[in-house]
Amino acid sequence: MSKQRIDKWLWHARFFKTRSLASDVVSAGHIRVNRQPIRKPSHAVGPGDVLTFPQGPHIRVIEILGLAERRGPAPEAQALYSDLSPPQPKPKVDQPAPVAVRDEGAGRPTKKERREIDRLRGED
């Protein structure tokens, strides 16, 4: 087995959850093989080919190292390719919003302030 359909290879290598999703991405023209855009899911690829395609917010550059006969577990799938993509920046961790600061007497009273007002009025 020296060549394989690109949609099948992308599915075996676990880049797409289903083969039809891989086929749709190829048909839309979002995949390049050795810098040439392709539009046919039946395009044959083999070891040594370089694929460029978008995956989420990132562009992936993958060199094919091997072909698979079945869609196996993740470690098996990762042995099929070499990732040539530049390292992606780590996502920024969302900081919790700072507590709003307000001037004394501005806006609605807080629960603590309401209790103090009730105590002053004698409404315990």
Side-chain angles (χ1 to χ4, degrees), residues 3-6 33 40-46 49:
K3 294 280 186 180
Q4 189 173 34
R5 288 175 58 112
I6 190 164
V33 176
K40 294 196 175 204
S42 62
H43 185 87
V45 294
D49 287 338

Side-chain angles (χ1 to χ4, degrees), residues 22-117:
S23 180
D24 292 344
V25 171
V26 174
S27 297
H30 297 300
I31 304 246
R32 292 175 181 258
V33 176
N34 299 325
R35 296 186 177 181
Q36 299 298 316
I38 60 167
R39 288 189 161 270
K40 294 196 175 204
S42 62
H43 185 87
V45 294
D49 287 338
V50 176
L51 307 179
T52 307
F53 58 94
Q55 190 174 36
H58 307 295
I59 300 294
R60 302 290 302 261
V61 181
I62 303 298
E63 180 182 5
I64 298 175
L65 299 178
L67 305 175
E69 293 183 21
R70 67 184 186 95
R71 186 173 199 248
E76 218 174 271
Q78 291 168 350
L80 299 177
Y81 63 90
S82 170
D83 195 354
L84 305 175
S85 305
Q88 303 298 328
K90 293 187 178 181
K92 296 185 179 185
V93 178
D94 291 335
Q95 297 292 331
V99 176
V101 179
R102 62 182 181 88
D103 296 330
E104 283 290 320
R108 293 180 60 175
T110 63
K111 190 171 187 177
K112 179 182 176 186
E113 291 169 339
R114 278 197 323 270
R115 286 180 179 152
E116 289 173 356
I117 292 169

